[in-house]
Amino acid sequence: MSRSFIFSSESVGEGHPDKVCDTISDAILDACLAVDKTSRVACETFAKSNIVVVGGEITIPKLQNKKLGTTKPIDEVINVGKVIRDAVRGIGYTNDDDVFHADKLFINNYLTIQSPDIAQGVDAAAAEGKKTAEQGAGDQGIMFGYACDETPELMPAPIMFAHRLGRELTRIRKAGKLAKWLRPDAKSQVSVEYVDGKPTRIVNVVISTQHAESATHAEIEKFCIEQVIKKVLPKNMLTKDTEYLINPTGKFVVGGPQGDSGLTGRKIIVDTYGGMGRHGGGAFSGKDPSKVDRSAAYMGRWVAKNVVAAGLAARCEVQFAYAIGHPKPVSVHIDTFGTGAVSDDKILDAVLKVFSFKPADIVKQLNLLRPIYGKSTNYGHFGKSDADLTWESTSKADALKKAVK
């Protein structure tokens, strides 16, 4: 008997209040890595009305004195205010009627240096109570990676479709030729019907986009359906029964941090698999690669994607866990949900032969000590084709195939 169900995933635009904060946090991270690739960064951002607050811990070892804790203040190293304003300007909050405006922000900076207690557990140097001089994990925690064969990106269809909508809205808005009434804040959602585990049709599409007061609802609705949805979603999955819900409240003029507060790390399901694959709980943006919340989640995606790309499974989820300061994961688990070409145990054995899960090795394998993170912030950290996002490479697929023989 065939089984059908409907699964929905959402995405948000660059101007969504939470994504504004993610963008700022990653911009500060990239600025630090551009100065010193070994920078330790944990930057949180809060935005509301015309105020931006940044806080967290940042240490730039290249500029640190021998005595731990006597590093230069962050504002002597990078211009935090300029980084923030440039990030907001890049999003597009530059309209004359914007309360949240790149050039009119009040910025509160509460960034301090990283705790030496955390640093000694993470640094690749022997410390009191440590048995090895290997780099340890920056925190305890569980991480997941996921991939499936539903889309060319080896990502679940609902989240990839939702990202396509948001990305196209942004492309049109920034081009400035069509729909000049578009504003930065936006959300999209796509519901897909699955039959026997395969996506078959799009049941409904939701778009809520901020707009200028001058735009009518009829104009917005027609534009979103004809110029966005029908241009980027698979035509064979849009049917006469597909429902379109455009700005369902009827009006969306007040948006962004003016309309709602924003905070770094509140869109973790948008950032990953749209709910189709599990998430360990840790957010990504504003964290340097010593934080396994980010780097190990990228590693999990890399492993799962290569398993699927190798033809070893149609779906793959990898889970692993760490203890702070410890260089090896305390567990690694593979689940192919019954789609494996060989047993999950054999796939796990192959994975452990091909990949190293030690934090320092993750950083090295994926070349993570670079100012690349602004490219990851919006429209998902996974499923992109940019070569800088190395966790999307399928270069280990052949090695996995050989390892299972």
Side-chain angles (χ1 to χ4, degrees):
M1 177 182 287
S2 64
R3 175 178 178 259
S4 67
F5 62 91
I6 297 171
F7 196 92
S8 304
S9 294
E10 71 160 347
S11 181
V12 298
E14 297 170 22
H16 184 281
D18 295 329
K19 272 296 149 194
V20 169
C21 294
D22 285 346
T23 299
I24 291 171
S25 292
D26 275 338
I28 291 174
L29 168 62
D30 280 345
C32 293
L33 291 174
V35 172
D36 184 349
K37 67 180 183 179
T38 64
S39 294
R40 295 284 166 74
V41 180
C43 179
E44 311 292 345
T45 304
F46 168 79
K48 176 59 186 165
S49 299
N50 61 342
I51 297 171
V52 170
V53 180
V54 291
E57 299 76 45
I58 293 179
T59 296
I60 302 178
K62 190 167 81 172
L63 303 175
Q64 191 172 12
N65 294 331
K66 291 182 179 179
K67 184 179 178 182
L68 191 63
T70 58
T71 189
K72 290 183 179 180
I74 187 65
D75 268 326
E76 292 184 21
V77 181
I78 63 171
N79 187 333
V80 173
K82 183 178 186 302
V83 171
I84 291 171
R85 294 184 194 281
D86 286 349
V88 173
R89 188 174 295 108
I91 292 168
Y93 281 111
T94 56
N95 296 289
D96 291 340
D97 57 351
D98 286 338
V99 170
F100 188 80
H101 189 291
D103 299 321
K104 302 173 185 177
L105 297 173
F106 289 92
I107 297 171
N108 297 287
N109 180 359
Y110 300 104
L111 295 167
T112 62
I113 65 168
Q114 184 185 53
S115 162
D117 294 339
I118 297 175
Q120 75 171 2
V122 177
D123 289 339
E128 184 178 354
K130 290 187 71 177
K131 295 181 179 179
T132 73
E134 293 186 86
Q135 178 179 325
D139 200 355
Q140 73 173 52
I142 59 172
M143 293 81 201
F144 288 92
Y146 183 84
C148 61
D149 62 1
E150 294 176 13
T151 63
E153 300 89 352
L154 301 185
M155 285 284 287
I159 188 65
M160 288 310 298
F161 295 165
H163 286 328
R164 288 183 196 177
L165 296 171
R167 191 179 288 112
E168 183 66 4
L169 278 171
T170 298
R171 186 195 68 78
I172 293 171
R173 173 174 60 83
K174 290 186 174 181
K177 295 179 180 179
L178 293 173
K180 295 183 178 181
W181 42 263
L182 279 171
R183 294 294 183 264
D185 197 355
K187 297 182 78 172
S188 57
Q189 183 173 288
V190 179
S191 300
V192 176
E193 182 180 35
Y194 285 73
V195 177
D196 292 336
K198 299 293 183 182
T200 58
R201 69 183 181 98
I202 294 172
V203 178
N204 56 62
V205 180
V206 183
I207 292 179
S208 294
T209 181
Q210 186 186 10
H211 58 88
E213 185 78 56
S214 60
T216 67
H217 186 269
E219 179 182 10
I220 297 167
E221 185 175 49
K222 181 179 179 181
F223 166 78
C224 287
I225 294 172
E226 299 299 328
Q227 299 300 320
V228 180
I229 295 171
K230 291 184 178 180
K231 292 289 180 67
V232 302
L233 296 187
K235 291 180 172 57
N236 65 318
M237 294 186 70
L238 294 172
T239 73
K240 61 181 179 59
D241 297 320
T242 300
E243 183 180 19
Y244 303 110
L245 300 167
I246 311 300
N247 280 14
T249 65
K251 185 178 182 181
F252 187 6
V253 173
V254 177
Q258 179 188 358
D260 194 5
S261 61
L263 194 65
T264 300
R266 284 203 299 206
K267 287 293 174 282
I268 58 176
I269 302 304
V270 171
D271 287 343
T272 53
Y273 308 105
M276 187 71 79
R278 284 176 283 195
H279 190 290
F284 300 156
S285 291
K287 297 178 181 178
D288 75 83
S290 74
K291 280 73 172 174
V292 285
D293 278 341
R294 185 171 211 162
S295 57
Y298 290 175
M299 181 68 179
R301 165 63 178 170
W302 189 39
V303 172
K305 186 173 183 180
N306 275 271
V307 168
V308 175
L312 299 179
R315 294 170 62 198
C316 179
E317 184 176 74
V318 56
Q319 189 248 30
F320 43 111
Y322 291 95
I324 188 169
H326 192 66
K328 294 182 180 179
V330 296
S331 69
V332 182
H333 173 68
I334 295 282
D335 190 348
T336 63
F337 308 94
T339 69
V342 297
S343 72
D344 288 358
D345 287 343
K346 286 188 176 181
I347 294 174
L348 176 58
D349 287 343
V351 163
L352 294 176
K353 290 176 185 176
V354 173
F355 301 96
S356 172
F357 290 86
K358 292 182 180 180
D361 291 343
I362 291 174
V363 170
K364 185 177 180 180
Q365 289 169 108
L366 293 176
N367 193 17
L368 295 178
L369 296 179
R370 296 171 294 142
I372 59 171
Y373 295 97
K375 294 182 176 183
S376 72
T377 313
N378 293 291
Y379 313 114
H381 290 241
F382 309 130
K384 295 175 178 174
S385 59
D386 193 306
D388 278 336
L389 308 185
T390 49
W391 50 92
E392 291 300 313
S393 164
T394 56
S395 60
K396 296 294 185 180
D398 287 341
L400 283 173
K401 288 179 187 178
K402 292 177 182 177
V404 297
K405 292 180 180 179

